[in-house]
Structure formats: structure tokens, C-alpha cells
Amino acid sequence: MDDYYMLLKPSPKALHKESKDDFWVLFYENKMMLINKDGKYIIPRLRDLLDLNIQPDHVQCIGEFLGLNCFCGEMDRRVETKNIEYLDLWTLSKGDKQIYTLAMKGNLFLNWLKLNKHCGVCGSPTYIKDSFYERALVCSKCGNTTWPRTSPAIIVAVTKEDRLLLVYNKQFPERKYSVVAGFVEYGETFEECVKREVYEETGIRVKNIRYFGSQPWPFPNSMLIAFTAEYLDGEIKEDGEEIVHAGWFTKDEIKGKYDESISIGTRLIEWFIETH
Ligand SMILES: [Zn+2]
């Protein structure tokens, strides 16, 4: 994965004295507030919040970014000035990688905090644990602790000589064809999940499962773990529920059939095209 993910040093507490230059990843109704400066988006600083009289809610520290503190929070009202814009995550994913990375993290943290305002055991309010190392919410009454959770999902490029297995999922008509993907069940290894998902969706059994890479996927709150695998046996038989068509495609047949996005699924297809 590109090294821009490394530019942010995660920390649940501010690592530096608060400054008017600190970065603020602010959301209003799941859209990030950005300042449009001469056609270029910039992340607001604390001084911008003070100028605009913004008092964010659900505030958390994301960590250190470019040597400064970076916080996230939610706005209780939509501030309208001529150079302020609000962009959703999907739109941001197609733009500046640094801004997208911060937006993704801020969005995940805010959703986590909002979903865990109350303890899942006794229903009492939770508070953010006072720690530099551990991001956690603790119940004010029973002490139950909740950490950020993510839902793992596998995604796999299955090859058969010069062909790639692609599926058409009726839930995502706008995304065209894609490689097989699915959520990991409790108690299942990633490799078992690869075998199960490919078999369930297409009737194909696979071998030589190899790790390819991973990608946080906040649509919503998932982690994609990507693999390559080879055809073992079986005839294509779509599950008929999710998958309405599955087939083997050569690299020439793939062109124009898949969605070119930032998803690691696109990288798997591009890997196949480059290597076959
Ligand atoms: Zn509790």
C-alpha cells in the first residue's frame, strides 16, 4: 500500500501542546468540511474553527499529522461561507490521498463513538479512556471496555490459466463485474472464508491461496483482506441470490467490465491484467 497511510502517527491523546495550527477533521451529516482555497481543498485548522465559532461534538484525537495534533469531531450545525464545502467519503476517495486517509479515520472513530455512547452490558454512559496507547471506551458504571471494531471481509482473484473469475452482484449494479468478496464468519480463518465464499457464490473450489494485501474500507467499517487463488475443480453455478452471473474472462475480455476505483478489488484485477 502507498506510504501515505504512514504519514499519520495514531494516538488517542494529543502528543503536542494544543496549537491554532492543529488539524481538524470535521463532519456534518457524514460529510467532511473542507476549505476550498483557490480550487484546492485544505483541512481546517483550529484557528478556522475559532473564526467560524464552531464547537464540535464527539471530539477525539486521531494522532499526529505533519508534526501537529489532528483531531476529529462532529459539527452540530452546517456552517455556510463561500469557501467551505462538504464532501462525502466516496467523493473524497477519488481525490487527495492524505485528505481521504484522514477523513476515513475520522469517520470511523466518530461512528465508533456514536454507536458506543452507552455500555452494551448495563446501558450506562461510557467515557474515552485516558491513555496515550489505548483507544477505548469505558463504562462509567460497570467498567466494561469497548475497543474500535472492524468487520473483516475477504476479496479474492481466482485464476484458471489465462482467465480470471468475475462475478456480477445484483446488489451493486453500478459497480459492474468484480472479483469474489464476502464477510468473514465468526470462528473462520481468512483462508477458510476464501474457500467458502468462492464455492458459495460460484460453485468453484480453489487452491494455492496467497495473501495479496489489505485495505481499510469505511463503506462501512470493514477491512478488506485480499488474496489470489487458483482454480482446483468445479463447474460455475451462481448462487442465484447475490450473484446473478459468474464467468471466466481473459484480460482482453475484462476491459470496460470492471469499476476502476480505489478499492483493492480493482488492484487485484489490474494485477491479473499485468501478469497474464
Ligand atoms: Zn456498563
Side-chain angles (χ1 to χ4, degrees), residues 118-126 138-144:
H118 294 97
C119 172
V121 177
C122 76
S124 301
T126 58
V138 184
C139 174
S140 55
K141 192 174 175 194
C142 77
N144 174 51

Side-chain angles (χ1 to χ4, degrees), residues 178-247:
S178 63
V179 291
V180 171
F183 284 106
V184 178
E185 295 272 351
Y186 277 145
E188 188 175 55
T189 67
F190 294 157
E191 291 82 358
E192 286 166 346
C193 182
V194 166
K195 289 179 187 172
R196 178 181 56 75
E197 282 289 344
V198 176
Y199 187 73
E200 280 177 5
E201 292 191 358
T202 68
I204 298 296
R205 296 202 306 161
V206 297
K207 63 179 181 180
N208 293 338
I209 299 165
R210 296 216 161 81
Y211 178 72
F212 179 83
S214 65
Q215 181 183 40
W217 192 246
F219 304 103
N221 194 21
S222 300
M223 173 66 77
L224 297 173
I225 307 104
F227 294 87
T228 61
E230 291 170 20
Y231 172 81
L232 173 63
D233 60 23
E235 294 293 324
I236 286 184
K237 188 176 179 303
E238 294 90 348
D239 70 6
E241 279 186 30
E242 271 182 72
I243 304 303
V244 288
H245 182 239

Side-chain angles (χ1 to χ4, degrees), residues 34-226:
L34 287 163
I35 298 171
N36 186 334
K37 197 177 179 197
D38 306 324
K40 188 174 185 290
Y41 289 118
I42 56 171
I43 301 163
R45 309 292 188 110
L46 177 60
R47 78 173 86 82
D48 299 309
L49 274 64
L50 298 172
D51 285 350
L52 296 163
N53 194 23
I54 295 169
Q55 286 158 343
D57 200 4
H58 301 122
V59 170
Q60 291 169 83
C61 180
I62 300 181
E64 179 194 284
F65 179 59
L66 304 179
L68 292 159
N69 296 315
C70 180
F71 298 94
C72 65
E74 192 165 57
M75 297 162 68
D76 61 355
R77 67 196 164 89
R78 190 179 165 104
V79 174
E80 299 282 5
T81 69
K82 69 175 179 359
N83 60 345
I84 283 181
E85 293 184 31
Y86 297 85
L87 281 83
D88 65 38
L89 270 185
W90 189 248
T91 306
L92 289 166
S93 76
K94 292 166 183 160
D96 182 278
K97 299 292 184 235
Q98 281 187 350
I99 292 177
Y100 168 67
T101 302
L102 293 178
M104 172 185 69
K105 287 173 191 264
N107 186 264
L108 287 167
F109 289 150
L110 285 174
N111 285 335
W112 168 65
L113 186 63
K114 286 197 286 187
L115 288 171
N116 293 282
K117 273 194 290 194
H118 294 97
C119 172
V121 177
C122 76
S124 301
T126 58
Y127 62 89
I128 297 173
K129 184 169 180 172
D130 184 20
S131 167
F132 279 101
Y133 308 103
E134 188 182 18
R135 190 180 297 277
L137 289 168
V138 184
C139 174
S140 55
K141 192 174 175 194
C142 77
N144 174 51
T145 304
T146 305
W147 294 273
R149 292 201 182 112
T150 189
S151 304
I154 64 89
I155 184 159
V156 56
V158 181
T159 56
K160 184 183 182 185
E161 294 161 0
D162 66 338
R163 283 163 198 272
L164 175 68
L165 181 64
L166 292 181
V167 295
Y168 186 87
N169 188 320
K170 71 175 178 189
Q171 280 183 297
F172 309 112
E174 76 281 8
R175 292 191 195 165
K176 304 184 183 177
Y177 277 84
S178 63
V179 291
V180 171
F183 284 106
V184 178
E185 295 272 351
Y186 277 145
E188 188 175 55
T189 67
F190 294 157
E191 291 82 358
E192 286 166 346
C193 182
V194 166
K195 289 179 187 172
R196 178 181 56 75
E197 282 289 344
V198 176
Y199 187 73
E200 280 177 5
E201 292 191 358
T202 68
I204 298 296
R205 296 202 306 161
V206 297
K207 63 179 181 180
N208 293 338
I209 299 165
R210 296 216 161 81
Y211 178 72
F212 179 83
S214 65
Q215 181 183 40
W217 192 246
F219 304 103
N221 194 21
S222 300
M223 173 66 77
L224 297 173
I225 307 104

